[in-house]
Amino acid sequence: MKGTKVVFICSECEYESPKWMGKCPHCGSWNTFVEDVVEKETASSLQRRTSISMDGDNTERTFSELEIPEYIRTATGLSELDRVLGGGLVCGSVVLLSGEPGIGKSTLLLQICDTLGINKKVLYVSGEESGGQIKLRAERLKIIGKNLYILTETNIENILSKADKIKPDVIIADSVQTMYSDKIASAPGSVTQVKECAMSFIAKAKKHNISVILVGHVNKEGGIAGPKVLEHMVDAVLCFEGDRRQTYRIIRANKNRFGSTNEIGVFEMTDTGLAEVTNPSEMLLADRPVDSSGNCAVCTMEGTRPMVAEIQALVTPTVFPAPRRTSNGIDYNRTCLILAVLEKRLGLKFSSNDVYLNVIGGMQLDEPAIDLAVALAMISSITDKVIPDTLVAIGELGLSGECRGISNIEQRVKEASRLGYTEALIPYRNAEKLQLDFKIKVIPVKNVFDLLRILSSFKGKD
Ligand code: TYD
Ligand code: MG
């Protein structure tokens, strides 16, 4: 096309190159260059750029003139989602919801339309499904659809002009990768198009105080397809995770300008849409094996919420020259560290065994407080001693084999007690301070020798 040129753009940092490269010379990422068609910069194309102001106007203010805004939040009807958003959808904010295809993004958004529609006008723009398909899904989800407008359109200029007529309070764009602007020559889904469309939505959101939810696809590596800069531009990035073949889904905030990024929301995909799982511990503990060595329960914190999860270890004699270590849901290096501590301090021969670790339910646990449970599960498997299923272990291990104090001990022990656990192994330092008013026996642990001693008091496999 006249006036355009083919370039290759790094999808991480937007570095532009006339030819394809394996490694980006600017940010150092590999395999991130994608082909794109851009306009040659002319005077008219430079003029077209619009400025966005997060305050609605571009006047300068002194620091003392700035006011603390009062964020108006709207409940989405799903309290799990509200918590991840920091207490509801903020008026005028732009949220990016990403996830693999088929995970349930469109389902989730259609579901929240119903509650948002009670007091607000919602415009649902779909670039992927027809009105009929959306209606069919809505029937399944039992959506009434008050104040809900559906638009199947992918041209951003048309979308925004329709939005000017409808004057919605919330716009949902499913998905930003399908939308395109006439002003840009490249294909929908390319780096420049995605960025331009997101920019237009952000400008609209900030100018008219509209909340915008953009759906973003993820690429093979799990990152959001399109430029990294998209994540910088929006106010919040929510990731919808989970195994498509399993029914459980977790929503996590990777970035949130209006709340904490520690919270997670747990959902279950049912045949009438996504249902909230307000008690994830029970979900994680269903089908626990009894009388089997290598299992240990742990209470971990997900944001402000304690959650009991189960760690499984399998230690078997190795047939390889170098023993295998596989760890699912737990940091691999942390696993190796704990193994080294146990081998050195307790003399357990892990070096002649393969070690497989797994967290049930596909959870990812990444806090040091799980160390004690990981260690116990591994010792239990190598010695074939069964850990009672009424026991939960919480604590961090140091390199000398000492058990170190952790945070939020009261909340964790309380949650374990609520779920029916009767014994809790906790760090010695925490045990001294713990005020107990619940039915759980606290066993203080000073070091790994204590672990071995406690384990030897349990029964063997036979
Ligand atoms: P969808 O929400 O379209 O996923 P995305 O927009 O993230 O690509 O679909 C999620 C999947 O969930 C789909 O394969 C069918 C299934 N599903 C249910 O199990 N129950 C339901 O009520 C609905 C609407 C979908
Ligand atoms: Mg979809």
Side-chain angles (χ1 to χ4, degrees):
M1 223 189 304
K2 207 170 156 246
T4 60
K5 59 174 177 179
V6 173
V7 291
F8 293 85
I9 299 181
C10 168
S11 52
E12 281 291 316
C13 68
E14 285 187 280
Y15 179 84
E16 202 178 296
S17 152
K19 60 179 186 10
W20 188 86
M21 281 187 279
K23 184 184 176 188
C24 174
H26 186 249
C27 68
S29 339
W30 285 91
N31 261 335
T32 50
F33 277 88
V34 285
E35 192 180 324
D36 211 334
V37 186
V38 295
E39 234 170 282
K40 289 186 182 133
E41 295 234 319
T42 57
S44 64
S45 73
L46 283 175
Q47 255 176 17
R48 243 187 18 224
R49 287 183 186 154
T50 48
S51 83
I52 301 179
S53 165
M54 296 303 162
D55 282 325
D57 65 52
N58 292 17
T59 47
E60 72 282 5
R61 296 177 181 83
T62 62
F63 185 67
S64 56
E65 279 170 343
L66 298 179
E67 286 166 10
I68 294 176
E70 232 183 78
Y71 294 126
I72 304 164
R73 294 181 187 265
T74 317
T76 59
L78 294 170
S79 58
E80 291 287 303
L81 178 63
D82 285 344
R83 198 183 43 247
V84 178
L85 285 168
L89 186 63
V90 174
C91 208
S93 69
V94 182
V95 178
L96 179 65
L97 175 69
S98 77
E100 283 181 26
I103 199 88
K105 301 180 293 294
S106 310
T107 308
L108 179 81
L109 293 176
L110 204 54
Q111 272 178 268
I112 65 170
C113 283
D114 229 18
T115 315
L116 291 173
I118 297 174
N119 300 313
K120 307 214 164 228
K121 246 189 216 176
V122 184
L123 174 63
Y124 186 104
V125 190
S126 179
E128 297 186 348
E129 289 162 311
S130 69
Q133 284 168 328
I134 296 172
K135 180 90 183 175
L136 202 68
R137 185 201 303 256
E139 289 277 285
R140 238 171 115 174
L141 302 173
K142 308 215 165 33
I143 301 249
I144 301 161
K146 187 183 161 212
N147 285 329
L148 174 61
Y149 295 79
I150 305 284
L151 178 64
T152 47
E153 168 73 85
T154 51
N155 181 301
I156 184 84
E157 283 81 22
N158 289 351
I159 294 170
L160 293 182
S161 73
K162 292 261 170 56
D164 282 338
K165 266 191 240 141
I166 300 170
K167 293 195 173 42
D169 303 292
V170 181
I171 300 180
I172 294 172
D174 188 2
S175 66
V176 67
Q177 272 90 2
T178 55
M179 315 224 157
Y180 72 96
S181 165
D182 282 338
K183 294 184 216 155
I184 289 176
S186 52
S190 65
V191 175
T192 27
Q193 280 289 10
V194 168
K195 205 178 130 193
E196 172 74 22
C197 294
M199 270 306 207
S200 309
F201 277 120
I202 293 170
K204 188 88 191 160
K206 300 300 165 190
K207 196 161 171 217
H208 296 113
N209 213 14
I210 299 173
S211 309
V212 175
I213 304 179
L214 303 174
V215 171
H217 290 170
V218 294
N219 54 23
K220 279 201 295 293
E221 290 80 35
I224 294 162
K228 192 84 184 159
V229 71
L230 194 61
E231 292 177 53
H232 293 295
M233 284 168 10
V234 298
D235 296 312
V237 179
L238 306 188
C239 295
F240 212 176
E241 301 169 358
D243 193 337
R244 235 178 328 138
R245 285 153 299 178
Q246 290 187 354
T247 55
Y248 296 108
R249 307 278 191 272
I250 288 173
I251 199 161
R252 206 183 278 281
N254 276 3
K255 159 181 175 177
N256 193 352
R257 289 188 179 143
F258 308 109
S260 142
T261 51
N262 290 328
E263 300 290 353
I264 63 164
V266 185
F267 295 92
E268 187 183 2
M269 183 61 97
T270 67
D271 40 355
T272 50
L274 287 157
E276 295 178 84
V277 177
T278 42
N279 201 341
S281 301
E282 271 164 25
M283 150 198 131
L284 290 171
L285 294 173
D287 312 320
R288 271 201 79 179
V290 281
D291 262 4
S292 154
S293 63
N295 297 308
C296 187
V298 63
C299 192
T300 165
M301 295 298 291
E302 280 288 353
T304 53
R305 236 179 354 166
M307 197 187 279
V308 177
E310 190 194 352
I311 295 173
Q312 290 195 316
L314 186 68
V315 181
T316 54
T318 187
V319 290
F320 305 104
R324 288 194 68 169
R325 272 92 180 83
T326 308
S327 118
N328 225 339
I330 298 166
D331 181 48
Y332 176 78
N333 291 324
R334 194 86 205 158
T335 309
C336 295
L337 186 147
I338 298 169
L339 277 171
V341 170
L342 296 181
E343 176 128 19
K344 171 91 180 164
R345 307 289 161 200
L346 298 179
L348 294 170
K349 285 281 163 248
F350 285 108
S351 50
S352 52
N353 285 286
D354 293 334
V355 177
Y356 302 92
L357 267 183
N358 185 31
V359 181
I360 297 296
M363 289 283 301
Q364 200 72 35
L365 305 181
D366 56 359
E367 59 160 355
I370 62 163
D371 290 357
L372 212 56
V374 174
L376 257 181
M378 294 193 295
I379 304 175
S380 156
S381 182
I382 200 171
T383 57
D384 236 352
K385 288 267 182 197
V386 179
I387 300 172
D389 53 5
T390 50
L391 181 134
V392 58
I394 320 156
E396 179 180 351
L397 278 185
L399 289 187
S400 324
E402 80 279 18
C403 181
R404 315 191 75 122
I406 48 152
S407 58
N408 304 89
I409 189 75
E410 200 144 321
Q411 266 173 292
R412 297 179 203 248
V413 176
K414 226 178 228 165
E415 171 74 1
S417 163
R418 193 183 66 75
L419 288 165
Y421 286 87
T422 52
E423 288 153 300
L425 294 191
I426 67 169
Y428 194 78
R429 197 166 64 79
N430 289 117
E432 283 178 336
K433 295 186 198 138
L434 192 65
Q435 303 288 334
L436 270 182
D437 52 356
F438 18 84
K439 289 191 224 85
I440 191 162
K441 186 178 159 211
V442 166
I443 307 170
V445 179
K446 247 187 189 156
N447 48 40
V448 283
F449 300 106
D450 282 351
L451 284 187
L452 209 54
R453 192 174 40 76
I454 294 165
L455 251 181
S456 59
S457 66
F458 299 146
K459 62 175 181 175
K461 207 178 147 200
D462 36 28

